[in-house]
């Protein structure tokens, strides 16, 4: 079972359970590019992504976008990310949009998928992605509406779901999973402690989609392999 989004380099995040056969480890900015690379170096099934998360854009300058480009060229990440827009936590929307737009450009130039963080910003995220016709990737921890999901599906983006889906009362999110084709869904644990959460997410998707847990895991694994071009 593949975990499409886990911050394994964070101190509070535990190693995955034995049922996890591979992981995608996104970065949050220049301060942890080295640690995500190091954290994936010993294992062929651990893959890192390089990017600048919207929460940390204030620690970054123009030169860091150039440095990101150099590191992508040298280190060959499986994706650019995580990057995106967070209109709740970060006030400066213009700088966020600029940094995200530049990272979409980098991803398309290197033919890489994006790992996107989007909070209360799905309209703007979608507009920016649409302005780069070759952009592709996953909206992790999806929290938008069904209508917004439909727009993102039209441009072939995928959707990551994690622990918030496990909540039996998360009706809105359950409806979105019901609406989405299983081919567009990947599972993740993000920055959470509990390594068993991944199987709980798969179980919840199975219940909503009326599939077996094995069918969900097989399909989500295939989706993750397709998005990140991994074996
Ligand atoms: Zn994350």
């Amino acid at each position: 079972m593949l975990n499409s989004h886990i911050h394994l380099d964070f101190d509070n995040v535990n190693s995955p359970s034995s049922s996890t056969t591979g992981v995608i480890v996104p970065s949050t900015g220049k301060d942890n590019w080295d640690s995500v690379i190091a954290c994936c170096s010993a294992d062929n099934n651990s893959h890192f992504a390089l990017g600048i998360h919207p929460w940390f854009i204030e620690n970054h300058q123009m030169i860091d976008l150039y440095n990101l480009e150099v590191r992508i060229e040298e280190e060959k990440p499986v994706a650019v990310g995580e990057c995106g827009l967070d209109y709740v936590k970060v006030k400066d929307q213009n700088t966020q949009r600029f940094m995200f737009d530049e990272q979409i450009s980098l991803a398309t130039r290197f033919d890489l998928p994006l790992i996107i963080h989007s909070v209360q910003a799905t309209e703007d995220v979608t507009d920016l992605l649409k302005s780069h016709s070759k952009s592709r990737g996953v909206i992790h921890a999806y929290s938008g509406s069904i209508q917004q999901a439909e727009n993102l599906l039209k441009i072939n983006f995928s959707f990551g779901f994690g622990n918030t889906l496990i909540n039996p009362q998360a009706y809105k999110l359950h409806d979105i999973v019901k609406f989405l084709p299983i081919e567009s869904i990947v599972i993740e644990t993000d920055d959470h402690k509990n390594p068993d959460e991944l199987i709980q997410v798969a179980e919840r998707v199975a219940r909503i989609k009326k599939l077996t847990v094995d069918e969900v895991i097989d399909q989500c694994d295939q989706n993750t392999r397709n998005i990140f071009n991994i074996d």
Side-chain angles (χ1 to χ4, degrees), residues 115-132:
I115 298 173
I116 298 169
H117 172 105
S118 171
V119 174
Q120 300 274 306
T122 309
E123 299 289 334
D124 283 0
V125 162
T126 307
D127 285 346
L128 282 170
L129 293 173
K130 273 186 182 164
S131 70
H132 298 262

Side-chain angles (χ1 to χ4, degrees), residues 77-81 83 100 103-116 128-130 132-139 152 155-158 223-230:
V78 295
V80 174
C83 56
F100 182 39
Q103 293 182 83
I104 304 171
S105 296
L106 275 179
T108 56
R109 195 173 332 148
F110 287 96
D111 193 21
L112 288 170
L114 288 146
I115 298 173
I116 298 169
L128 282 170
L129 293 173
K130 273 186 182 164
H132 298 262
S133 62
K134 286 185 184 147
S135 65
R136 59 190 176 89
V138 52
I139 316 292
L152 285 158
I155 53 169
N156 280 318
F157 271 76
S158 299
N223 301 341
T224 300
R225 283 194 289 267
N226 290 346
I227 295 165
F228 298 105
N229 196 22
I230 55 174

Side-chain angles (χ1 to χ4, degrees), residues 5-7 10 26-28 53 82 115 117 140-141 188-191:
H5 192 118
I6 177 170
H7 292 281
F10 287 8
S27 57
T28 53
H53 192 293
E82 61 184 287
I115 298 173
H117 172 105
H140 111 86
E188 59 174 61
T189 57
D190 201 10
D191 58 356

